[in-house]
Amino acid sequence: MSFSLPRLSRSDTLTSISEYDLSETSPNITPTLIKKANDDLGKISLCWPKIHTPPEFEDRSDFPESYYQNSNKEKLTLLYAENFRRQYNHFYPDRKQLVLVAENECGLQKLVCTTIRPTCLALRELKNWSNCAQFVADFIDYEPLPRPTAAPERILGPCTVFKRQSGNSYEMAIALCSLLLGELYDAYVVSGHAIQDIAENIRIRTDCPVKPEELEDEEPEKPPTPVEQATPTESPKDSPEQASDEAPKDPETQETEDKYALIPELEQAPPDELYGWRTHAWVLLLPNDDDITEAIFVEPSTGVSYPTSTDVYTSVESVFNNVNYWANIQDYSNGIANMKYDLTDLSCWEHMLIGEPFENRKFFVDPEAEDDNPALEEKHLDMPASWVEKFTIPHDKIRIRYNNGFKSTNYRRTVLNEFGEYVQMDGLQSKIMHYADFECTELIMVEDVYRNRQDALVLTRGDTKKRTVTEYFKRGRPDACRTHTYDMDNNYVNGPRTMEFYYKVRKDGLEKLEVDTGFKKETYKNRFDKLYFRHIAFKEEEPDGTLEGPKKTIASITEKFQRNPSKIAIEDIAERQFKIMQNEIFLKFHTAPGFITANTRRFFKPKDGERLGIDTEWTSDYTADVDADPPSYLQLYYLYEAQLEAEQRSVFHLREIEDELSAFIRLRNVECAMPKLHVSIFNKERNESLRLEMLEQEEKDMEDDESSVHEGTDYLAPYIAKLTTELPLTKEKALLVRSECLKEFQQLMVYRANKLTQQFEAEYNDYQKKKLWFSENKSMLSFDVEDREISKLAQQKHKLQIYNMRLDRQQRVIKKRYANLEQFLATDKRLEVLYE
């Protein structure tokens, strides 16, 4: 149903005092109460007194005139808005009041459409709608409306909102819509109603959206083969016939299961007596040709997007942007899931201004029309320009991101603390605390996310139940450590710990190291000798070691090898055990094809003082092939010698690993006590001191270069040879030599400066001619030629900058060089007659 917009009479523009009961029976009525009633009714003030001095708002009074004065076009639009409000209330008396106007910083009523100021910030990270929404949610602190069921009495402009970094739902939605419109999105502010959790920004019934990024694996896992994907057979005890024969559950187990079954019910939101009445504003994004395929809602307080069929919003009263205002006339008594968002459909939406936006208009050309008559062109009132001043966000505040650099949010069984970049000295970006209960009293895990750490630390995960801490590192550490897990209470060298490495970086291919009081386990990958596992056992009675303590006594070393295709199976070692305490070496070879058992060989090392040899007493074996020829004594001797050397290498490697582990723990203690952050060379805010040091060093290097060039140079020799060959010089000849030297130096400096100036002027004139030619002929050039000409102009502009830098340097150093030359002449012994 559509309605027309008749003209307003003067009597219609005046507020009828008879609409309010001001009789003697209401003695407490005050102007403030009358203003509040007008606000509740949504009435628009059509009286605009002159304000010569801008009022003060939060210690600011230097507002532009548009903040405290309405232009004639704004006044006319407010008349339209009041007329639109009255007709809407007449046709839809059961609907809630529309939010058409609100007071701004200076207490002046402004149309909400003109509060939107489309702005494009020159920031790469804000070119996407989701990044914009998350930035607004992080940068601005949410303020619930003081009266949750009423329209806001005040809506600040986006400039003020970004400066004070706080605002209500309408202010945040308008700020977000301003950024999205600046990025050419089809964005609208939605005025309606939401559930309590959304309107009051309660997130304790929402899962924490921040998940620490997992480190990438060295090699992606291969999908299992069809054999590995075999479907497990159903156990007989799981069949329906025997389901009744299952044993009854333990009472404690049953109680625990019942307790967990009640958790979803206990965590549900309590009944809200104001359900469907809580006023709220959010953003609507309509499809475009880029990344929005269907209409979505964006909540500015959280940055989360919802489908238009969501139930977190209970009603939609209107939508608006900087072009027009649309009132919803669809039925939302059963929710908003079936609402349509085609704003050109007059059966669903009523627009305040008659003229459609330019991009939505359809033009038809009449071929029989003769001449276009300007008087017949469409002339409708369009939306006035925004009264909000142009705003930007300082780069340092964008880096900090949060108000005062910190933000804390409570989620379901999770508390999230977020910090701005470089706010914490240790590079802490976010702290995620997980709890076992809904009230967040029983802590079970703490995750700390880091950025810009020089030690490559990106995440620490502390498990309070297992009492363990796991550190995650990105690539770039000299030790190639990937993860480090240790005990909270026993963080010493021989205490329990597990380390994973980027094995492709390490020359030994070590992938994983497990350490405990009684053993060490090493896992390898892609080694040329096919070793993939090593286990070292220590004596049990050995006391726990310390950082500088003695080395532990080795009891045994077990090594396992993968199959080496270059060797036959009966000669390819599969497992090797060095039983050092028993003086034995045990070898197990790979199983040969066609056999079900593998060959084994055991060597008994001679005792101290005995002859080192090989015979039947020092070795024993098991052969799977009974028909195979036994190895010769020489072959066994060479094998025995090779195993002894391998044992020495394994022991030496173990001691290297122990030293590396001790050095790693000492280094981690230093890195945790005195963390250092990496600062990019392009970060001007953080590299100011470094930049000054670089400039000082550059000047020092320049002086050193000049002094090194002048060393050993005899400036007076040409002038003395031209005048005389006799030394010492007379006073007259010395004065003539000095003046000739200084005069020629001045001429040389002037010649160089003039030559640079001529080169600069010639290059500049040529650049201007080419630039003028390009601007005149740009439309006639092909894309390739245009790109080539632009590249040439850029190169020529760069050349002009170099000439300019050389001229500036020439002017800077000419006086200094002249003073250096005078000082050189004053110290020359051949001219000392001038200074006697």
Side-chain angles (χ1 to χ4, degrees):
M1 177 178 178
S2 176
F3 51 85
S4 60
L5 294 173
R7 295 181 58 186
L8 284 172
S9 64
R10 180 173 178 82
S11 60
D12 292 334
T13 62
L14 301 178
T15 303
S16 176
I17 201 69
S18 62
E19 296 183 19
Y20 302 98
D21 185 10
L22 302 181
S23 62
E24 297 180 357
T25 58
S26 303
N28 296 326
I29 289 181
T30 61
T32 304
L33 187 60
I34 296 176
K35 181 180 179 301
K36 181 180 178 181
N38 284 332
D39 293 338
D40 291 340
L41 293 174
K43 288 198 171 184
I44 301 175
S45 175
L46 302 180
C47 179
W48 304 285
K50 284 282 187 179
I51 302 177
H52 301 284
T53 303
E56 185 175 349
F57 175 78
E58 294 184 354
D59 299 331
R60 183 191 176 190
S61 58
D62 55 337
F63 292 102
E65 185 179 354
S66 61
Y67 276 66
Y68 55 91
Q69 294 288 350
N70 279 324
S71 64
N72 292 332
K73 190 173 184 179
E74 286 181 300
K75 295 176 183 179
L76 181 60
T77 311
L78 290 173
L79 288 170
Y80 265 74
E82 173 62 13
N83 190 21
F84 181 80
R85 183 194 68 82
R86 293 187 181 188
Q87 296 187 58
Y88 179 84
N89 292 341
H90 173 73
F91 284 100
Y92 305 99
D94 297 332
R95 295 279 181 127
K96 300 180 179 66
Q97 293 294 332
L98 297 177
V99 181
L100 282 163
V101 296
E103 293 183 356
N104 65 354
E105 295 89 323
C106 298
L108 183 65
Q109 274 191 351
K110 291 285 187 177
L111 194 65
V112 290
C113 299
T114 59
T115 308
I116 299 175
R117 175 68 185 256
T119 302
C120 178
L121 299 178
L123 296 172
R124 182 178 59 184
E125 54 267 26
L126 298 184
K127 296 301 179 182
N128 181 273
W129 69 267
S130 58
N131 293 343
C132 280
Q134 193 59 52
F135 172 76
V136 170
D138 294 340
F139 192 78
I140 302 175
D141 291 339
Y142 181 77
E143 296 178 350
L145 294 174
R147 295 192 298 163
T149 61
E153 300 178 0
R154 181 204 67 184
I155 296 180
L156 305 180
C159 180
T160 304
V161 172
F162 280 112
K163 283 183 179 179
R164 66 199 301 263
Q165 290 188 244
S166 63
N168 56 43
S169 62
Y170 281 84
E171 293 165 347
M172 294 185 68
I174 288 174
L176 176 57
C177 188
S178 299
L179 295 181
L180 294 175
L181 289 172
E183 298 298 336
L184 304 182
Y185 283 97
D186 193 8
Y188 303 84
V189 177
V190 183
S191 177
H193 299 83
I195 63 175
Q196 183 178 9
D197 285 1
I198 295 294
E200 297 185 359
N201 199 20
I202 300 174
R203 307 192 209 178
I204 59 175
R205 282 171 283 276
T206 306
D207 293 331
C208 180
V210 178
K211 306 291 184 184
E213 296 182 1
E214 297 294 338
L215 297 176
E216 59 179 4
D217 296 331
E218 289 284 285
E219 291 181 355
E221 296 183 1
K222 297 181 180 180
T225 60
V227 177
E228 296 172 344
Q229 293 179 347
T231 305
T233 58
E234 184 181 1
S235 176
K237 66 178 181 180
D238 296 332
S239 60
E241 292 78 9
Q242 299 185 8
S244 59
D245 298 336
E246 294 182 357
K249 296 182 179 180
D250 184 54
E252 295 183 359
T253 305
Q254 184 65 36
E255 183 180 355
T256 304
E257 292 182 358
D258 295 341
K259 180 180 178 181
Y260 280 103
L262 291 175
I263 287 179
E265 182 179 353
L266 296 175
E267 293 182 357
Q268 288 183 357
D272 183 16
E273 59 181 7
L274 297 179
Y275 179 82
W277 290 88
R278 295 184 180 274
T279 305
H280 193 68
W282 59 98
V283 173
L284 168 67
L285 282 177
L286 293 183
N288 58 7
D289 297 332
D290 193 6
D291 54 346
I292 304 294
T293 58
E294 59 182 2
I296 59 173
F297 290 145
V298 181
E299 176 55 42
S301 62
T302 61
V304 179
S305 62
Y306 298 94
T308 54
S309 59
T310 181
D311 57 354
V312 299
Y313 303 116
T314 58
S315 66
V316 173
E317 301 294 340
S318 59
V319 300
F320 61 89
N321 61 6
N322 61 320
V323 176
N324 209 337
Y325 189 100
W326 293 266
N328 177 31
I329 57 177
Q330 303 174 72
D331 182 20
Y332 53 76
S333 58
N334 296 324
I336 62 173
N338 298 323
M339 281 186 55
K340 299 178 181 178
Y341 295 93
D342 181 7
L343 301 181
T344 61
D345 188 354
L346 297 182
S347 63
C348 299
W349 300 90
E350 276 291 352
H351 49 85
M352 184 182 73
L353 299 182
I354 299 177
E356 287 291 336
F358 184 80
E359 59 272 11
N360 294 338
R361 298 186 183 184
K362 298 180 181 179
F363 297 92
F364 299 94
V365 179
D366 187 3
E368 298 180 359
E370 298 178 355
D371 297 331
D372 295 336
N373 186 359
L376 299 178
E377 293 182 359
E378 178 184 356
K379 292 184 178 181
H380 291 299
L381 176 65
D382 58 348
M383 192 64 65
S386 177
W387 54 270
V388 180
E389 61 181 325
K390 183 180 179 181
F391 66 89
T392 57
I393 305 176
H395 192 265
D396 55 345
K397 284 194 173 184
I398 294 177
R399 286 284 185 184
I400 295 177
R401 195 173 185 92
Y402 308 103
N403 194 0
N404 297 323
F406 170 75
K407 183 178 182 181
S408 181
T409 310
N410 292 347
Y411 292 96
R412 179 189 286 124
R413 294 189 293 274
T414 305
V415 176
L416 173 63
N417 295 333
E418 297 175 283
F419 303 89
E421 193 174 15
Y422 296 108
V423 171
Q424 297 294 313
M425 298 298 295
D426 58 353
L428 183 62
Q429 191 76 14
S430 60
K431 178 184 285 290
I432 310 171
M433 293 170 284
H434 301 275
Y435 294 87
D437 57 334
F438 190 69
E439 292 76 16
C440 295
T441 58
E442 184 181 351
L443 184 65
I444 58 175
M445 183 179 291
V446 179
E447 293 177 317
D448 293 340
V449 182
Y450 296 90
R451 285 185 65 184
N452 305 315
R453 290 275 295 233
Q454 288 190 5
D455 57 1
L457 179 67
V458 294
L459 172 66
T460 61
R461 183 175 286 135
D463 193 331
T464 59
K465 297 294 185 181
K466 299 179 181 179
R467 303 298 298 168
T468 59
V469 177
T470 304
E471 298 174 328
Y472 296 83
F473 303 91
K474 62 181 180 180
R475 299 176 185 270
R477 287 184 63 88
D479 49 32
C481 183
R482 184 173 182 268
T483 65
H484 174 216
T485 304
Y486 60 90
D487 197 332
M488 290 183 182
D489 306 319
N490 300 318
N491 187 20
Y492 50 84
V493 173
N494 294 321
R497 73 180 64 248
T498 302
M499 300 176 64
E500 296 180 358
F501 300 89
Y502 294 100
Y503 66 89
K504 291 184 178 179
V505 181
R506 293 182 63 95
K507 61 180 180 180
D508 57 357
L510 181 62
E511 182 186 27
K512 188 175 181 180
L513 173 64
E514 299 179 53
V515 180
D516 208 337
T517 54
F519 66 88
K520 280 187 175 66
K521 291 182 181 180
E522 301 172 0
T523 305
Y524 296 89
K525 260 191 178 182
N526 298 342
R527 281 179 63 105
F528 67 95
D529 58 358
K530 302 301 180 180
L531 174 67
Y532 72 90
F533 178 78
R534 179 183 284 127
H535 180 277
I536 303 101
F538 301 99
K539 288 181 63 177
E540 295 181 0
E541 65 273 15
E542 192 72 23
D544 295 339
T546 58
L547 284 177
E548 291 80 23
K551 304 294 184 181
K552 281 192 170 187
T553 304
I554 303 174
S556 65
I557 301 177
T558 302
E559 298 176 342
K560 296 182 180 180
F561 300 85
Q562 295 174 336
R563 182 74 175 88
N564 190 349
S566 62
K567 298 181 181 180
I568 60 177
I570 59 175
E571 295 180 0
D572 189 11
I573 298 176
E575 182 177 341
R576 178 168 56 195
Q577 297 181 11
F578 301 114
K579 300 180 180 180
I580 299 176
M581 302 299 296
Q582 291 84 12
N583 285 334
E584 293 182 9
I585 299 177
F586 175 78
L587 302 178
K588 181 181 179 182
F589 299 88
H590 284 278
T591 304
F595 293 87
I596 60 175
T597 58
N599 294 357
T600 62
R601 169 79 53 186
R602 189 183 303 272
F603 292 107
F604 303 96
K605 290 189 286 186
K607 299 179 181 179
D608 296 338
E610 294 185 2
R611 180 179 60 85
L612 180 63
I614 200 75
D615 53 36
T616 56
E617 296 181 0
W618 305 116
T619 182
S620 63
D621 68 332
Y622 164 79
T623 304
D625 187 2
V626 294
D627 297 330
D629 296 332
S632 64
Y633 286 148
L634 183 60
Q635 291 175 337
L636 293 176
Y637 180 78
Y638 285 152
L639 180 61
Y640 175 68
E641 285 290 326
Q643 304 314 309
L644 290 178
E645 293 178 1
E647 180 181 351
Q648 293 179 359
R649 289 195 302 268
S650 298
V651 173
F652 180 75
H653 169 77
L654 171 63
R655 300 311 180 190
E656 282 187 333
I657 289 294
E658 289 178 342
D659 295 338
E660 182 180 348
L661 183 60
S662 300
F664 174 81
I665 295 176
R666 284 194 294 266
L667 178 61
R668 286 300 303 141
N669 291 335
V670 174
E671 290 173 344
C672 292
M674 296 179 291
K676 295 182 180 180
L677 302 182
H678 170 74
V679 181
S680 173
I681 59 175
F682 303 104
N683 191 335
K684 295 183 179 180
E685 294 87 357
R686 298 282 168 182
N687 275 336
E688 183 63 24
S689 59
L690 180 61
R691 188 181 69 85
L692 295 177
E693 292 177 4
M694 291 176 63
L695 290 176
E696 293 177 1
Q697 186 65 31
E698 184 180 350
E699 293 181 359
K700 185 178 179 181
D701 293 342
M702 189 184 300
E703 293 177 359
D704 295 342
D705 292 342
E706 291 179 358
S707 62
S708 62
V709 170
H710 297 325
E711 283 183 4
T713 304
D714 189 358
Y715 296 101
L716 297 180
Y719 305 101
I720 294 176
K722 187 166 54 174
L723 294 178
T724 182
T725 58
E726 299 180 358
L727 292 176
L729 298 174
T730 63
K731 189 171 183 180
E732 292 78 7
K733 289 185 178 181
L735 183 62
L736 183 61
V737 168
R738 181 179 182 278
S739 60
E740 287 291 332
C741 181
L742 292 175
K743 180 180 178 182
E744 189 166 341
F745 177 77
Q746 290 176 351
Q747 293 175 353
L748 178 62
M749 293 294 103
V750 171
Y751 169 76
R752 288 180 178 177
N754 291 337
K755 186 177 181 180
L756 283 175
T757 303
Q758 292 174 2
Q759 292 175 347
F760 176 80
E761 291 177 351
E763 193 72 27
Y764 180 77
N765 293 332
D766 185 52
Y767 172 75
Q768 292 294 335
K769 290 179 181 178
K770 291 182 178 180
K771 187 177 179 181
L772 179 62
W773 177 87
F774 178 75
S775 61
E776 292 176 350
N777 301 275
K778 182 179 179 180
S779 59
M780 298 182 292
L781 301 177
S782 63
F783 291 110
D784 295 338
V785 176
E786 183 180 353
D787 292 341
R788 188 163 57 250
E789 293 297 327
I790 291 175
S791 177
K792 289 181 180 179
L793 288 175
Q795 293 177 1
Q796 200 166 8
K797 186 177 181 181
H798 179 65
K799 196 173 182 180
L800 287 173
Q801 293 175 350
I802 295 176
Y803 276 127
N804 197 15
M805 292 172 60
R806 292 182 62 186
L807 281 171
D808 292 341
R809 183 176 180 274
Q810 183 72 12
Q811 294 176 359
R812 273 198 327 268
V813 302
I814 186 170
K815 293 183 179 179
K816 192 173 183 179
R817 288 181 175 178
Y818 189 83
N820 291 339
L821 180 60
E822 285 185 330
Q823 185 179 2
F824 172 80
L825 297 178
T827 56
D828 196 305
K829 293 183 179 181
R830 291 168 293 184
L831 301 181
E832 60 184 2
V833 67
L834 297 175
Y835 306 100
E836 292 179 353

